Structure formats: C-alpha cells, structure tokens
C-alpha cells in the first residue's frame, strides 16, 4: 500500500512553466512505472504521462512537446516539467504507480494522494 505525495502546483500565466514532484520513500521506485493524472473541474480523470522503471515515457497527445516526465530513483522522485502551459491544463494533478507504460491501471492496493492544484490563467 503506497500513497505518493504531489507538490509543485500553483498559479501561473499562460505560457509559463511549473515543475511538479511526486515522491514517497520506498524501494518500489526502483521498478515501478509511475504516471501523472489530472482532473479538471467537471471532467473525468485523464492520464497525462507515464514513465517506466527504465525511463521510457508515454504522453497524452495534448501535452506532447510541452511536458516532460522524468525520474530520480535515488531520491524516490518523479518529476513533471510543464512548459508553455495553457488554461486547459488547469486541473488537480496526481501521481500513481501503474501497471505498464501503456497500461495506466493503478495498483489496486495504492491510495490516491491529495494531488497538487495547477491553475493557468489567460
């Protein structure tokens, strides 16, 4: 049972940047794929990006070229660098362990964290 902690959100103007962090002490970071999800008001949860244990990545089309997911297993941290932010990126962002780079099914024993709010103004 794992609950990851998200941080780094905030209010930013369109075109600006934010760097989100996802962290939790534990050896699972050495082998687990990690995904960022987001949920906007009135919308369903959406997969944003996934990074495998080996560093391979997968992104939703709407963020390709703007967002970069990376990881530092020694620090038990997964990052989401978000550049050229748009108002439609406004959402609460969550990270979770998932089954595979192309299978965003989260571990059934894990808990969702409180997320971090990203607000992009126009």
């Amino acid at each position: 049972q794992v609950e990851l902690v998200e941080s780094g959100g905030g209010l930013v103007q369109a075109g600006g940047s934010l760097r989100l962090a996802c962290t939790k002490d534990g050896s699972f970071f050495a082998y687990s794929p990690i995904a960022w999800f987001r949920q906007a008001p009135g919308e369903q949860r959406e997969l944003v990006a996934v990074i495998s244990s080996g560093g391979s990545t997968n992104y939703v089309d709407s963020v390709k070229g703007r967002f970069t997911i990376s990881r530092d297993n020694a620090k038990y941290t997964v990052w989401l660098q978000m550049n050229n932010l748009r108002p439609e990126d406004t959402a609460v962002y969550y990270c979770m362990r998932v089954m595979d780079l192309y299978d965003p099914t989260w571990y059934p024993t894990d808990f969702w964290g409180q997320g971090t709010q990203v607000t992009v103004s126009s």
Side-chain angles (χ1 to χ4, degrees), residues 1-74:
Q1 297 182 344
V2 173
E3 181 177 346
L4 302 177
V5 178
E6 303 92 346
S7 63
L11 175 63
V12 65
Q13 298 290 322
S17 298
L18 287 171
R19 190 188 191 196
L20 307 185
C22 166
T23 189
K24 182 77 172 183
D25 287 343
S27 61
F28 69 88
F29 266 95
Y31 61 85
S32 297
I34 303 292
W36 283 98
F37 298 85
R38 66 186 180 187
Q39 187 165 22
E43 303 291 334
Q44 61 184 349
R45 187 179 299 112
E46 175 189 36
L47 177 70
V48 178
V50 188
I51 186 165
S52 73
S53 60
S56 297
T57 58
N58 185 33
Y59 301 90
V60 67
D61 286 345
S62 63
V63 308
K64 288 181 178 177
R66 300 188 299 119
F67 291 11
T68 302
I69 187 171
S70 60
R71 67 192 299 159
D72 185 341
N73 290 336

Side-chain angles (χ1 to χ4, degrees), residues 37-114:
F37 298 85
R38 66 186 180 187
Q39 187 165 22
E43 303 291 334
Q44 61 184 349
R45 187 179 299 112
E46 175 189 36
L47 177 70
V48 178
V50 188
I51 186 165
S52 73
S53 60
S56 297
T57 58
N58 185 33
Y59 301 90
V60 67
D61 286 345
S62 63
V63 308
K64 288 181 178 177
R66 300 188 299 119
F67 291 11
T68 302
I69 187 171
S70 60
R71 67 192 299 159
D72 185 341
N73 290 336
K75 297 181 178 179
Y76 304 126
T77 302
V78 173
W79 307 95
L80 185 67
Q81 178 67 46
M82 306 186 296
N83 298 325
N84 193 24
L85 283 161
R86 304 166 180 170
E88 54 263 40
D89 295 318
T90 295
V92 178
Y93 284 70
Y94 304 88
C95 60
M96 288 286 284
R97 290 195 294 171
V98 294
M99 297 299 177
D100 190 71
L101 192 67
Y102 296 100
D103 182 8
T105 301
W106 52 87
Y107 279 54
T109 57
D110 288 358
F111 296 94
W112 292 90
Q114 63 181 348

